[in-house]
Amino acid sequence: MIELKYVEKQYPGSNKVLFINELVIRTGEVTAVVGANGSGKTTLLKAIMGIGEVSNPYGHILIDGKSVQEQYEQMAFITEEGSFLPKMTPLQYAGFLADYFPRFDRERYLKLLEFFELDADARIKTMSTGQKSKLEICAGFSKGAKYILMDEPFNGKDMFTRQDFLKLMIASMKDEETLVITTHIIDEIENVIDRAIVLHEGRVKADVTIDELREAGQCLPELMAQTAGYKPNAYKKFIE
């Protein structure tokens, strides 16, 4: 379980501030963190990962009751920035990961490389942005981590790759794994997540399970529009 309380963190390069009064992410769930650009999605994931200092000395982030630093081996952060060395090949990267993550699953890693059609012997620096992103997904899902945080994992991937990956992600998810995903691809993600957290201007504006959302007769895009105060007909005044 991930627990956040009174967490305050300034967005990089901005005066805006993320503030989480209280938030719990339960073990075994697939949770999507959604919101417009600048709403604080990436900042939230980085705070959970312990990247950068939080501003409020009375706030805390706990992973199964312990600090992030104590639980680092239980965490995997998948981001476009990557953790590989460009001169490595995916096979060499596997050796690097095995040294740092005792539970690294090499067999799972190689299967994912095959699924994404990545050449295990190619230099990573020669890969496209999309291929590097896929490589980071392979690594993140193979570290043996209990908590997998994914920041916009679908960037640079075509519709069919996204659909196949979503199916693979859910089918291969282990009982003890917890996924937290930031994404703009909300139409596709809605059918595979358990819960959605909607951020707007650094605050949690909605926190619902997908079952609750459906019972209310809503879909995720509608909830996002509602919480952001989006006015679909506002453009008309500029063309009338």
Side-chain angles (χ1 to χ4, degrees):
M1 182 169 65
I2 301 174
E3 301 173 80
L4 298 91
K5 194 164 187 177
Y6 307 137
V7 172
E8 187 174 319
K9 189 176 176 69
Q10 188 166 351
Y11 300 178
S14 170
N15 292 324
K16 293 182 179 180
V17 174
L18 171 75
F19 181 77
I20 305 295
N21 184 51
E22 193 167 3
L23 181 65
V24 173
I25 297 174
R26 294 176 287 272
T27 302
E29 285 188 338
V30 180
T31 298
V33 180
V34 297
N37 288 337
S39 60
K41 301 186 299 296
T42 298
T43 303
L44 174 60
L45 292 198
K46 288 185 174 180
I48 294 173
M49 286 299 303
I51 300 173
E53 297 291 329
V54 294
S55 307
N56 189 344
Y58 301 104
H60 67 252
I61 300 173
L62 298 177
I63 313 295
D64 291 337
K66 298 180 180 179
S67 69
V68 178
Q69 291 73 20
E70 293 176 286
Q71 296 283 49
Y72 190 71
E73 288 183 0
Q74 298 280 8
M75 312 290 290
F77 187 32
I78 299 173
T79 171
E80 284 187 332
E81 296 168 8
S83 59
F84 47 76
L85 298 176
K87 291 184 179 180
M88 287 182 173
T89 66
L91 276 182
Q92 291 169 333
Y93 187 30
F96 172 82
L97 292 167
D99 287 340
Y100 283 90
F101 295 90
R103 291 184 294 275
F104 177 70
D105 188 337
R106 186 182 179 89
E107 182 180 355
R108 191 182 198 187
Y109 176 78
L110 294 176
K111 285 182 178 179
L112 286 170
L113 288 182
E114 183 180 356
F115 170 77
F116 284 121
E117 299 180 344
L118 297 176
D119 185 349
D121 296 310
R123 296 289 177 187
I124 297 172
K125 67 180 180 181
T126 66
M127 294 181 173
S128 68
T129 300
Q131 288 173 322
K132 290 174 183 176
S133 176
K134 292 174 182 178
L135 178 61
E136 275 302 279
I137 289 174
C138 297
F141 271 82
S142 303
K143 289 177 179 177
K146 182 177 178 180
Y147 297 97
I148 302 173
L149 280 59
M150 309 176 73
D151 190 20
E152 296 290 351
F154 308 117
N155 284 352
K157 298 172 185 61
D158 60 72
M159 178 181 67
F160 300 112
T161 298
R162 291 198 304 268
Q163 290 177 351
D164 285 345
F165 172 66
L166 285 170
K167 295 173 186 175
L168 176 70
M169 181 179 74
I170 299 304
S172 66
M173 187 175 170
K174 299 176 182 178
D175 291 340
E176 69 276 12
E177 288 180 341
T178 300
L179 304 185
V180 184
I181 306 170
T182 69
T183 182
H184 288 95
I185 315 295
I186 54 176
D187 291 328
E188 295 176 18
I189 199 76
E190 185 172 353
N191 292 323
V192 298
I193 62 175
D194 300 304
R195 175 183 177 193
I197 295 169
V198 183
L199 290 182
H200 182 64
E201 296 183 346
R203 304 293 189 273
V204 175
K205 293 298 184 179
D207 182 1
V208 296
T209 67
I210 296 303
D211 287 343
E212 290 171 339
L213 197 61
R214 287 170 179 161
E215 286 174 7
Q218 273 191 308
C219 64
L220 191 50
E222 290 173 343
L223 178 64
M224 285 184 63
Q226 178 184 321
T227 56
Y230 173 64
K231 298 176 182 178
N233 296 319
Y235 74 96
K236 290 183 177 180
K237 68 180 181 180
F238 295 101
I239 59 175
E240 290 176 348

